[in-house]
Amino acid sequence: MEATREIYWNVGHGVVLPMYLFTAVCFAIFAYGFYQRFPMYRLGKELNRLDQLPKRIYLYLRGVFTQSKVLRIPEPGTYHGLFFWGFFLLFIGTLLIMVQADFSDPLMGIRFLKGTFYKGYSLVLDIAGIVAIVMLAGLAVRRFVKPPEGLETIIDDYLIHVLLFAILVTGFFIEAARMAVTEVKVNPDLARFSPIGLFLAGSFAGQSAATVEQTHRILWWVHFFLAISFIAAIPFTKLRHIFTTSTNYLLVDLRTKGSITTLDLEDENAEQFGVAKVTDLAWKDVFDADACTTCKRCQDRCPAYATGKPLSPMKVIHQVGHLAQTDPAGSLVKEVTEEVLWDCTTCRACQDICPADIEHVNKILDMRRSLSLMDGAFPGDEVRTAINHLEVNGNPFGSAYATRGDWTAGLDVKIMAEDSDVDVLYFVGCYASFDKRNRNVARNFVTILNAAGIKVGILGKEEKCCGEPPRKLGNEYLYQSTANENIERIRHYGVKRIVTTCPHCYNTLLRDYRDLGLESDFTVEHHSTLIQELLEQKRIALKPESFLFTYHDSCYIGRYMDIFDQPRSVLDACGGSLAEMEAARKDSFCCGAGGGRILAEEKIGTRINVARVKMAKEAGAPLLVSNCPFCLTMFEDGIKTGGLEGEMASRDLAEIVAERLV
């Protein structure tokens, strides 16, 4: 007997017309539901997110079918991923039935659901169905029985789980009823290829064929109406993320990670700088609210939220969506609150872990711009003082311009105004120029360059803050004024290679200054990658000395620039043994200084730097190594305030290398 089955067994082909009529109504409701949401998306400003379409299509297909973003966190990522693949295979199986029964067979006499292919088809769908049920059960336990802290559950969640369970279970019992009559005794060899259906067919044992057939007909229609109800409910419930989340993979920002739109501050027609209400956002920012799955991964990774601050990136996205639906002209800043906006360290952990490609950070920065440029607001008086110092002295400490190069005493460093014949320009930054602890890092780094025979120069009193801290606090005007002065100096000296020990300067010079017209015909490097290059080229030699350390991935080197292996390679060459922290590489925990927070006091909850130092302590190493002046400053303070003096020490990578130079 050939391996196949009658597709409309027991219900007859008479169901085809009403089935398609009901399906058409279902899709009309589905389309209307999404059509209703388009006006909300259009509240935002125009933004082109369909450029580089081939690349976007590739990212879309990769994101949807590999579930790679979902699987970043094994639990519940594995549940969700396996459920998706199982349900997707069942969907494909249904489409194949439709193609044969309603098109290829009646129109061309072609039947492909037969023989070996049908056996494999049956087995795959049974496995896919049971996997989907088991994974859905796991997700249900996580949400309703043992929910993690902070996971929001609404009526939609109950509806979705009940609908999906009902669809999957009725599907299996329809199969079981059919098999009880047509396969279990008649064709047992074929029944073995539907193991779940075969098992459930036992529940119909002892019942008459007529009774089983009647049950089958009822279940067939119940299953059908459950399926089309599920589709119709998608745009009206959280289920809409099935389409909005996947669409977000197509609409992803293709600029360099961390890019910020540069404001035209000379636009005389501009009435608003930054974002004060929903209509100041781009349409993609509003769409993000619909793409959010409320999985709270962003909230779990947020260092501010983890240390008791009111900031929840997930809640910010929800507030954008809520205001877009209820009061688009209302104050978004008031809805989110200033306190929440100032808490962000711009570490980008939220965006990195988000399975929906939602863009949290720039929304917060745009609201900060409104606070700073339109309202003159600051996180605190200490920040106001630092900003005033930046405006007057070009650094947040208020130190005189003339003292910016004092740290170079006794070193082979050229001042560009006196001699610009150099191999590299070292853009020192404010902390390495004026902070005693970080001056030692600068001196050690120059020592390494000298050992490699590299002629190094600095701008000295001509250098100003790169402008990153005020920019991340929303003060675009101060950023652009200081940046333009630095750009003018760099152009004047015809610099072709810049190196910096500060990741914040590195990101700003490499990426942000391009928007202000800085030419792209020169390189910008971070000292960790340059040192590795010098080691590979054997331009410096080290005498390894063993030491145990743990390494902190600075947000602006790690998540922003994907520089993870090079610093570890350098420390390995120094003789170090790495005790990795649990929160490392892309999952690293912020030091608390980013987003301009280096200038602000931390007044709410526990201190982020103390939390990070404790993580380092738990790794079991007495030495915490970083490669950022902000991180070093925060860790020095965190060790003291965390009560770990004498147990932990913090050092920069350059200090360790310089000590081992031959």
Side-chain angles (χ1 to χ4, degrees), residues 205-225:
Q207 297 184 26
S208 67
T211 301
V212 176
E213 289 172 4
Q214 178 66 20
T215 303
H216 175 271
R217 281 192 292 271
I218 294 171
L219 285 175
W220 193 94
W221 281 108
V222 169
H223 179 77
F224 171 73
F225 281 112

Side-chain angles (χ1 to χ4, degrees), residues 128-149:
I130 196 62
V131 167
I133 288 176
V134 172
M135 294 304 107
L136 187 61
L139 289 169
V141 169
R142 180 179 182 271
R143 180 167 290 277
F144 306 120
V145 181
K146 295 181 178 180
E149 183 181 353

Side-chain angles (χ1 to χ4, degrees), residues 462-481:
E462 292 184 299
E463 180 183 297
K464 300 187 75 170
C465 174
C466 69
E468 193 264 0
R471 188 182 208 199
K472 294 298 169 63
L473 289 167
N475 195 330
E476 181 78 3
Y477 176 81
L478 181 54
Y479 157 69
Q480 290 194 22
S481 63

Side-chain angles (χ1 to χ4, degrees), residues 34 37 234-245 290:
F34 273 113
R37 303 197 73 77
I234 286 173
F236 303 98
T237 65
K238 284 173 62 176
L239 284 168
R240 74 176 70 95
H241 83 262
I242 295 172
F243 290 91
T244 53
T245 296
D290 261 6

Side-chain angles (χ1 to χ4, degrees), residues 247-553:
T247 301
N248 241 15
Y249 298 152
L250 185 74
L251 304 175
V252 66
D253 190 350
L254 295 180
R255 298 177 298 173
T256 304
K257 282 194 295 185
S259 292
I260 309 169
T261 300
T262 299
L263 297 180
D264 181 2
L265 298 174
E266 297 181 359
D267 183 0
E268 296 179 356
N269 297 318
E271 297 180 358
Q272 169 72 33
F273 290 116
V275 167
K277 50 187 183 295
V278 170
T279 51
D280 296 326
L281 291 165
W283 67 265
K284 169 62 166 60
D285 293 313
V286 182
F287 184 82
D288 274 351
D290 261 6
C292 179
T293 65
T294 317
C295 68
K296 82 179 187 69
R297 293 186 183 192
C298 59
Q299 179 175 285
D300 288 344
R301 292 300 174 96
C302 177
Y305 186 86
T307 53
K309 279 76 170 173
L311 168 61
S312 162
M314 179 180 71
K315 187 176 179 181
V316 170
I317 301 304
H318 289 178
Q319 288 167 323
V320 169
H322 172 72
L323 214 58
Q325 294 183 73
T326 60
D327 186 15
S331 173
L332 184 58
V333 172
K334 287 184 179 178
E335 176 82 5
V336 176
T337 75
E338 287 189 36
E339 187 178 57
V340 165
L341 294 174
W342 294 130
D343 278 339
C344 179
T345 68
T346 67
C347 71
R348 214 172 181 274
C350 53
Q351 280 185 228
D352 180 74
I353 200 63
C354 178
D357 269 335
I358 289 170
E359 298 158 25
H360 311 74
V361 176
N362 280 7
K363 293 177 181 56
I364 291 174
L365 292 180
D366 280 335
M367 284 184 266
R368 284 184 174 185
R369 282 173 162 175
S370 180
L371 284 171
S372 179
L373 297 174
M374 306 304 294
D375 302 332
F378 296 90
D381 290 339
E382 73 283 2
V383 178
R384 185 187 302 273
T385 299
I387 294 297
N388 288 338
H389 286 325
L390 270 166
E391 291 175 342
V392 176
N393 299 101
N395 67 83
F397 300 100
S399 301
Y401 282 102
T403 64
R404 197 168 190 109
D406 287 357
W407 62 273
T408 63
L411 294 174
D412 185 7
V413 181
K414 296 182 179 182
I415 305 299
M416 298 295 285
E418 300 170 2
D419 183 356
S420 59
D421 179 22
V422 299
D423 297 317
V424 299
L425 169 65
Y426 175 24
F427 193 91
V428 187
C430 298
Y431 271 75
S433 294
F434 298 109
D435 175 67
K436 182 179 179 181
R437 180 66 184 85
N438 279 287
R439 279 182 167 185
N440 188 59
V441 175
R443 292 181 63 84
N444 277 273
F445 178 55
V446 169
T447 299
I448 296 169
L449 295 181
N450 290 162
I454 294 174
K455 292 185 291 185
V456 57
I458 65 170
L459 292 173
K461 64 181 180 181
E462 292 184 299
E463 180 183 297
K464 300 187 75 170
C465 174
C466 69
E468 193 264 0
R471 188 182 208 199
K472 294 298 169 63
L473 289 167
N475 195 330
E476 181 78 3
Y477 176 81
L478 181 54
Y479 157 69
Q480 290 194 22
S481 63
T482 56
N484 282 323
E485 290 188 46
N486 285 327
I487 290 171
E488 183 181 345
R489 297 289 184 272
I490 292 169
R491 283 176 175 163
H492 174 72
Y493 293 115
V495 173
K496 295 299 179 183
R497 191 177 189 186
I498 299 177
V499 64
T500 178
T501 47
C502 176
H504 299 266
C505 294
Y506 172 54
N507 275 263
T508 304
L509 270 66
L510 179 65
R511 179 190 58 223
D512 298 348
Y513 277 19
R514 310 295 190 190
D515 288 347
L516 296 176
L518 184 60
E519 294 77 5
S520 59
D521 61 342
F522 67 88
T523 60
V524 180
E525 299 169 80
H526 185 254
H527 76 302
S528 60
T529 57
L530 177 56
I531 292 171
Q532 188 211 30
E533 179 185 318
L534 296 177
L535 285 169
E536 288 181 347
Q537 296 175 351
K538 301 189 184 306
R539 297 183 64 179
I540 57 174
L542 302 179
K543 181 181 179 181
E545 296 177 11
S546 63
F547 64 102
L548 179 63
F549 73 99
T550 190
Y551 175 72
H552 168 77
D553 292 281

Side-chain angles (χ1 to χ4, degrees), residues 19 22-23 26-27 30 87 91 94 163-164 166-168 170-171 174 219-234 239:
M19 179 181 71
F22 282 124
T23 302
C26 159
F27 277 101
F30 172 89
F87 206 78
F91 174 72
T94 303
L163 260 178
L164 289 172
I167 290 169
L168 292 166
T170 54
I174 290 169
L219 285 175
W220 193 94
W221 281 108
V222 169
H223 179 77
F224 171 73
F225 281 112
L226 285 171
I228 63 172
S229 296
F230 173 81
I231 295 170
I234 286 173
L239 284 168

